[in-house]
DNA sequence: GCGACAG
DNA sequence: ATCTTGTCGC
């Protein structure tokens, strides 16, 4: 496990990405889809107090049942800057991953891996730091061009940086927007798409992401007191 | 210089 | 990411 570093400024952050990207492993296929465990990671923020909560949820890859989960709380130490997302999220995500009681298997995170201006998005950064196979499944497009994939679940089209394929726009449900899949570390792109489809059986987003999202939001509410006031019921 | 821009 | 009502569709 590589030591975590948070640069003091943007230039330092970009330089560190250029250094660490040499350690990304792209010639492994990754774990076979549907076997072992898969782990979703996500974070939630409280902008008022600069608090961030990360969640890691381990699922059985065959049944999608929860095997283990963990959360971690931290202070926000880096602003959101497109291209530098990892520096904002990774410290707390690492803490959550480290306190898991089960083998994470393949890690699925929000955001990108290779589909990044310096080929070193969150998924790649997390992979290099942990040594784990990691893929990125993002909800919105970023730095690349692509054609709209076909309308059905499983349809895809490549994310292109020039003529280099850096990911896939993948339709996980008929009639919904695609998700954007890219490899982070120690996984192949076709395999990453296969995992994503198996994990997104009932919804647009992978079950890993949905579970981790729900958990870190709940943990944030409990850590920060009341979040947004719930609508008062008719009986109030 | 301007706009776009994962979460 | 987060705030936030109603509304459209199955």
């Amino acid at each position: 496990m590589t030591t975590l570093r948070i640069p003091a400024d943007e230039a330092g952050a970009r330089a560190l990405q250029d250094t660490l990207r040499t350690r990304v492993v792209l010639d492994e296929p990754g774990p076979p889809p549907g076997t072992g465990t898969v782990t979703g990671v996500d974070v939630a923020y409280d902008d008022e107090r600069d608090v961030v909560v990360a969640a890691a949820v381990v699922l059985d890859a065959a049944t999608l049942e929860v095997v283990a989960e963990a959360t971690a709380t931290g202070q926000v130490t880096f602003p959101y800057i497109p291209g530098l997302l990892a520096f904002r999220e990774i410290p707390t995500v690492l803490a959550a991953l480290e306190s898991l009681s089960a083998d994470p298997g393949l890690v699925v995170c929000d955001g990108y891996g290779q589909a990044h201006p310096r080929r070193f998005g969150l998924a790649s950064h997390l992979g290099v730091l942990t040594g784990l196979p990691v893929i990125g499944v993002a909800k919105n497009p970023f730095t690349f061009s692509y054609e709209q994939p076909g309308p059905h679940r499983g349809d895809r089209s490549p994310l292109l940086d020039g003529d280099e394929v850096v990911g896939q726009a993948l339709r996980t449900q008929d009639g919904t927007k695609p998700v954007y899949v890219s490899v982070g570390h120690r996984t192949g792109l076709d395999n990453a798409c296969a995992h994503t489809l198996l994990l997104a059986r009932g919804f647009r987003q992978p079950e890993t992401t949905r579970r981790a999202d729900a958990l870190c939001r709940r943990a944030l509410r409990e850590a920060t007191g009341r979040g947004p006031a719930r609508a008062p019921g008719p009986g109030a």
Side-chain angles (χ1 to χ4, degrees):
Chain A
M1 168 97 72
T2 302
T3 301
L4 175 67
R5 287 171 52 196
I6 299 298
D9 54 53
E10 292 186 39
R14 292 193 193 90
L16 181 53
Q17 289 180 329
D18 284 332
T19 299
L20 290 178
R21 64 183 278 190
T22 63
R23 302 197 207 168
V24 174
V25 173
L26 297 174
D27 59 1
E28 290 183 27
T35 67
T37 54
V38 288
T39 296
V41 295
D42 195 16
V43 300
Y45 298 97
D46 178 338
D47 286 334
E48 299 293 277
R49 305 165 192 261
D50 276 353
V51 168
V52 53
V53 174
V57 180
V58 185
L59 305 183
D60 181 300
T63 65
L64 302 190
E65 292 183 356
V66 177
V67 171
E69 44 183 44
T71 62
T73 303
Q75 287 291 307
V76 174
T77 60
F78 205 89
Y80 170 66
I81 301 167
L84 302 179
L85 174 66
F87 296 104
R88 182 170 169 82
E89 304 215 331
I90 270 189
T92 318
V93 168
L94 275 182
L97 277 175
E98 284 166 0
S99 61
L100 282 174
S101 61
D103 182 339
L106 176 78
V107 176
V108 181
C109 60
D110 286 26
Y112 288 100
Q114 291 298 290
H116 176 275
R118 285 169 298 282
R119 299 288 182 278
F120 197 70
L122 173 62
S124 296
H125 203 143
L126 191 58
V128 165
L129 294 188
T130 62
L132 296 168
V134 183
I135 67 173
V137 180
K139 299 181 293 297
N140 297 295
F142 191 31
T143 319
F144 42 71
S145 60
Y146 67 103
E147 303 288 302
Q148 215 53 236
H152 297 116
R153 170 177 163 85
D155 290 344
R156 69 200 64 184
S157 59
L159 308 180
L160 299 173
D161 185 344
D163 49 12
E164 182 179 357
V165 176
V166 295
Q168 293 280 348
L170 177 65
R171 191 94 59 189
T172 57
Q173 299 292 324
D174 290 4
T176 64
K177 295 187 306 179
V179 297
Y180 305 89
V181 179
S182 63
V183 162
H185 185 60
R186 298 185 54 205
T187 314
L189 183 54
D190 287 345
N191 218 359
C193 290
H195 274 107
T196 302
L197 279 177
L198 285 181
L199 291 169
R201 202 161 218 12
F203 299 90
R204 175 181 176 241
Q205 294 199 75
E207 202 57 32
T208 38
T209 299
R210 301 184 71 246
R211 286 292 198 3
D213 181 74
L215 179 56
C216 67
R217 290 198 201 210
R218 176 160 54 82
L220 179 64
R221 276 187 324 207
E222 291 167 359
T224 202
R226 295 298 93 180
R230 299 286 34 174

